[in-house]
């Protein structure tokens, strides 16, 4: 199919204002893909299935649709994922994302000023699951009864979905964001839960991490110059850190391989 013919199809009155566009079975070149990506809108759905895409293809609008499914996602980069805003779901097939990419995404999600995506999943990932590397620099809590890893958004950001869960199974992963007070039914149970308790625990753990960072910085400052105001600030941080550490101890958690879990 030529780009000219493809453009004619996309500009047909019945198609140009599409809500859902599915491209299936075959190949598509960069020029035709550019036409599709140029029509990206936050209320449109784009699914590309069983269709080979040029490996060196790139477009800044790749993740600017509401609902996205790419069977062949080897061309999708972390830069694309960082443009997500109020999207519903992103489903990636074969892809070249790394643990560092996912670590970057989670950190970006934590400090984002807006909700990014309700669900991001990959069903053909080759990434090894190593929690210390995946969650490097991130405060993570593992749930008691399910193999879910939980992260909280920066509380200074006005976000509706302030909880991110990460599930991993045999090379397949799913990141899902939640309202912390949203209730859901536990798998295989009639019991309903929310993320409120996990959120509260994560706030305490993040506070401890922040105080430790502040204390380290102020100690370095005191190595270069002694100042009574700085010493006073250091003492205040130490007292607050002691109180928060006691709160953490009361939670009966252990830190193993970069993840907090209940003892």
């Amino acid at each position: 199919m030529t780009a000219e013919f493809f453009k004619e199809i996309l500009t047909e009155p019945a198609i140009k204002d599409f809500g859902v566009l599915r491209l299936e079975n075959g190949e598509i070149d960069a020029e035709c893909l550019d036409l599709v990506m140029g029509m990206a809108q936050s209320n449109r759905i784009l699914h590309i299935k069983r269709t080979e895409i040029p490996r060196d293809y790139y477009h800044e609008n790749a993740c600017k649709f509401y609902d996205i499914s790419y069977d062949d996602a080897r061309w999708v980069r972390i830069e694309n994922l960082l443009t997500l805003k109020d999207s519903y779901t992103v489903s990636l097939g074969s892809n070249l994302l790394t643990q560092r990419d996912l670590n970057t995404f989670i950190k970006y999600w934590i400090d984002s000023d807006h909700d990014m995506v309700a669900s991001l999943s990959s069903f053909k990932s080759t990434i090894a699951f190593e929690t210390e590397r995946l969650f490097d620099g991130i405060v993570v809590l593992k749930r008691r009864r399910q193999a879910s890893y939980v992260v909280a958004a920066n509380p200074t950001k006005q976000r509706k979905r302030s909880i991110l869960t990460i599930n991993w199974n045999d090379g397949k992963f799913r990141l899902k964001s939640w309202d912390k007070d949203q209730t859901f039914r536990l798998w295989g149970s009639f019991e309903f839960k929310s993320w409120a308790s996990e959120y509260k625990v994560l706030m305490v753990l993040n506070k401890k991490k922040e105080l430790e960072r502040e204390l380290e910085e102020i100690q370095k400052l005191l190595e270069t110059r002694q100042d009574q105001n700085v010493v006073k600030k250091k003492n205040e941080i130490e007292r607050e850190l002691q109180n928060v550490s006691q709160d953490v101890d009361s939670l009966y958690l252990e830190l193993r391989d970069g993840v907090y879990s209940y003892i």
Side-chain angles (χ1 to χ4, degrees):
M1 181 185 299
T2 65
E4 290 77 13
F5 182 57
F6 193 63
K7 185 176 182 179
E8 287 182 17
I9 294 175
L10 290 179
T11 55
E12 282 290 322
I15 297 179
K16 68 176 182 178
D17 296 322
F18 71 87
V20 180
L21 179 62
R22 292 187 175 91
L23 305 177
E24 300 183 0
N25 302 319
E27 296 182 12
I28 187 168
D29 62 24
E31 193 172 0
C32 290
L33 274 170
D34 283 345
L35 295 173
V36 174
M37 297 300 164
M39 303 178 76
Q41 290 184 14
S42 60
N43 62 342
R44 287 180 165 174
I45 296 172
L46 175 62
H47 290 181
I48 303 179
K49 296 180 176 294
R50 298 180 296 279
T51 299
E52 188 173 341
I53 295 175
R55 290 282 294 275
D56 60 350
Y57 183 73
Y58 176 78
H59 200 289
E60 61 183 11
N61 290 349
C63 289
K64 293 185 179 180
F65 294 86
Y66 178 68
D67 184 307
I68 300 163
S69 180
Y70 298 139
D71 274 3
D72 178 6
R74 291 172 294 178
W75 56 281
V76 175
R77 306 178 191 176
I78 182 60
E79 291 84 358
N80 295 126
L81 297 181
L82 300 186
T83 67
L84 286 166
K85 183 177 181 179
D86 296 322
S87 292
Y88 176 62
T89 183
V90 176
S91 177
L92 304 177
S94 299
N95 63 82
L96 301 177
L97 295 173
T98 65
Q99 283 195 107
R100 177 176 291 184
D101 290 333
L102 289 184
N103 178 273
T104 297
F105 179 84
I106 295 170
K107 287 178 177 176
Y108 192 90
W109 179 92
I110 290 171
D111 285 317
S112 175
D113 291 320
H114 56 263
D115 287 319
M116 297 179 68
V117 63
S119 176
L120 168 63
S121 58
S122 169
F123 299 100
K124 296 180 182 178
S125 174
T126 58
I127 302 174
F129 185 54
E130 301 171 5
T131 55
E132 278 190 297
R133 295 180 63 187
L134 181 62
F135 299 129
D136 181 44
I138 301 169
V139 175
V140 183
L141 177 66
K142 186 177 181 181
R143 293 200 68 202
R144 278 192 175 98
R145 287 178 287 180
Q146 293 180 326
S148 294
Y149 299 86
V150 189
V151 174
N154 186 331
T156 66
K157 308 297 182 179
Q158 299 301 312
R159 302 266 294 279
K160 180 180 179 181
R161 296 174 177 270
S162 56
I163 284 288
L164 183 71
T165 57
I166 300 98
N167 291 82
W168 200 281
N169 182 27
D170 193 26
K172 304 172 185 177
F173 67 82
R174 170 172 286 182
L175 282 63
K176 191 170 182 179
S177 60
W178 308 74
D179 180 330
K180 65 181 177 62
D181 297 315
Q182 177 182 347
T183 58
F184 59 94
R185 196 172 77 176
L186 295 174
W187 180 260
S189 169
F190 292 103
E191 182 182 359
F192 283 84
K193 295 279 290 182
S194 76
W195 297 104
S197 60
E198 285 85 356
Y199 183 82
K200 184 177 180 180
V201 170
L202 285 164
M203 289 299 98
V204 175
L205 294 174
N206 275 292
K207 182 64 175 178
K208 181 174 182 287
K209 178 185 176 182
E210 178 62 20
L211 288 170
E212 289 172 340
R213 184 190 63 78
E214 291 180 8
L215 183 60
E216 183 179 354
E217 289 180 354
I218 209 166
Q219 286 173 334
K220 288 181 179 178
L221 183 60
L222 286 172
E223 290 175 1
T224 59
R225 65 184 179 90
Q226 291 292 319
D227 182 286
Q228 290 303 311
N229 290 328
V230 177
V231 172
K232 181 180 178 181
K233 180 64 175 177
K234 173 179 175 291
N235 293 336
E236 291 174 354
I237 294 174
E238 286 180 331
R239 285 194 295 270
E240 187 175 4
L241 179 57
Q242 184 178 16
N243 292 333
V244 173
S245 295
Q246 290 175 351
D247 291 338
V248 172
D249 290 341
S250 69
L251 297 171
Y252 298 101
L253 299 171
E254 65 176 353
L255 180 62
R256 180 183 298 176
D257 298 329
V259 174
Y260 284 97
S261 58
Y262 291 96
I263 299 174

